[in-house]
């Protein structure tokens, strides 16, 4: 679903730690990335957002308050239609959802490669694979550095051509989030947008 798929294949050949560090060093606080890919009645969405945007910190959560904040954020991220409000006429419902906090350096263990292979495969990944890795991640959590929230969604839409816009309630939910770089890939091609807190609407007429 990603335009950068060949790049990801290349990165997959590099050591897992370098790959993860590169991704998180590259992020800019306030700016997340949302990829949307549609094929037939299926719409897949993937979100990467700095921990700073979602919970206001990027260290490994240790206090009860930090852990509660992360759990609350994950729960919010598991309800994509409350964050990314799609045109009602499209009749979209969520069929699969995954959300987790990923800490820089946490993936420097051998389970990571299997995780990435599963993750980067375009289809067929299952949430339980992520869950297993997530448990591992908590054990191997880094003390400091960047962190990102990562979420993936699969939706089924009865009438995808009626998907003419998205309202980003995401910005109301996460007060430190300022911008999302949105890529939309449909049969009509790839389209890039920037959606901001000040203008949280994305028009998609004619793309689906
Ligand atoms: Zn960061």
């Amino acid at each position: 679903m990603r335009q950068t798929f060949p790049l990801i294949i290349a990165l997959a050949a590099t050591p897992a730690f370098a790959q993860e560090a590169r991704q998180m060093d590259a992020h800019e606080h306030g700016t997340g990335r949302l990829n949307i890919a549609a094929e037939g009645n299926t719409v897949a969405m993937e979100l990467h957002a700095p921990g700073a945007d979602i919970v206001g910190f990027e260290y490994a959560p240790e206090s009860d308050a930090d852990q509660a904040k992360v759990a609350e954020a994950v729960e919010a991220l598991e309800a994509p239609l409350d964050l990314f409000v799609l045109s009602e006429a499209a009749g979209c419902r969520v069929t699969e959802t995954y959300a987790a906090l990923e800490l820089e350096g946490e993936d420097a263990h051998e389970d990571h490669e299997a995780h990435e292979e599963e993750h980067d495969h375009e289809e067929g990944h299952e949430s339980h694979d992520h869950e297993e890795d997530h448990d591992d991640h908590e054990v191997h959590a880094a003390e400091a550095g960047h962190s990102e929230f990562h979420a993936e969604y699969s939706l089924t839409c009865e009438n995808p051509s009626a998907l003419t816009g998205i309202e980003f309630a995401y910005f109301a939910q996460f007060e430190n989030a300022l911008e999302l770089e949105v890529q939309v890939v449909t049969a009509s091609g790839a389209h890039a947008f920037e959606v901001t807190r000040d203008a949280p609407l994305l028009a998609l007429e004619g793309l689906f």
Side-chain angles (χ1 to χ4, degrees):
M1 63 176 272
R2 307 187 205 186
Q3 285 177 284
T4 51
F5 194 63
L7 176 63
I8 286 165
I9 300 256
L11 285 173
T14 67
F17 180 79
Q19 177 185 350
E20 198 70 21
R22 184 183 313 189
Q23 287 175 352
M24 294 202 186
D25 283 346
H27 81 203
E28 176 186 345
H29 293 176
T31 301
R33 310 186 305 282
L34 178 68
N35 295 328
I36 303 173
E39 189 173 358
N41 290 81
T42 300
V43 175
M45 303 173 73
E46 179 174 33
L47 174 72
H48 284 95
D53 295 26
I54 302 299
V55 291
F57 59 83
E58 297 202 344
Y59 52 81
E62 288 180 4
S63 71
D64 288 350
D66 288 345
Q67 291 187 0
K69 203 161 187 183
V70 168
E72 186 185 345
V74 167
E75 192 176 331
L77 289 169
E78 285 173 345
L81 296 183
D82 292 341
L83 302 174
F84 311 110
V85 183
L86 308 180
S87 312
E88 198 170 345
C92 299
R93 62 184 173 82
V94 178
T95 56
E96 192 179 343
T97 184
Y98 157 76
L101 173 62
E102 296 177 348
L103 297 162
E104 184 175 52
E106 69 173 355
D107 287 322
H109 63 89
E110 57 190 28
D111 287 344
H112 180 65
E113 285 188 27
H115 170 70
E116 281 300 306
E117 281 168 20
E118 186 70 25
H119 166 71
D120 285 328
H121 198 274
E122 285 200 336
E123 293 176 345
H125 63 261
E126 294 175 13
S127 54
H128 71 260
D129 292 318
H130 294 296
E131 291 292 333
E132 286 167 18
D133 268 308
H134 180 60
D135 291 337
D136 265 346
H137 289 173
E138 291 180 345
V139 174
H140 295 268
E143 293 288 325
H146 292 277
S147 70
E148 287 191 347
F149 282 83
H150 177 202
E152 294 185 15
Y153 313 111
S154 186
L155 314 178
T156 296
C157 301
E158 288 170 22
N159 186 15
S161 62
L163 210 176
T164 54
I166 301 176
E167 181 189 337
F168 286 74
Y170 171 84
F171 293 107
Q173 175 74 36
F174 302 116
E175 60 185 16
N176 296 315
L178 302 177
E179 180 181 326
L180 278 178
E181 294 174 353
V182 181
Q183 290 194 52
V184 182
V185 179
T186 69
S188 71
H191 311 267
F193 306 92
E194 287 184 1
V195 180
T196 64
R197 166 172 294 277
D198 293 337
L201 293 171
L202 176 60
L204 296 170
E205 278 95 352
L207 295 195
F208 286 89

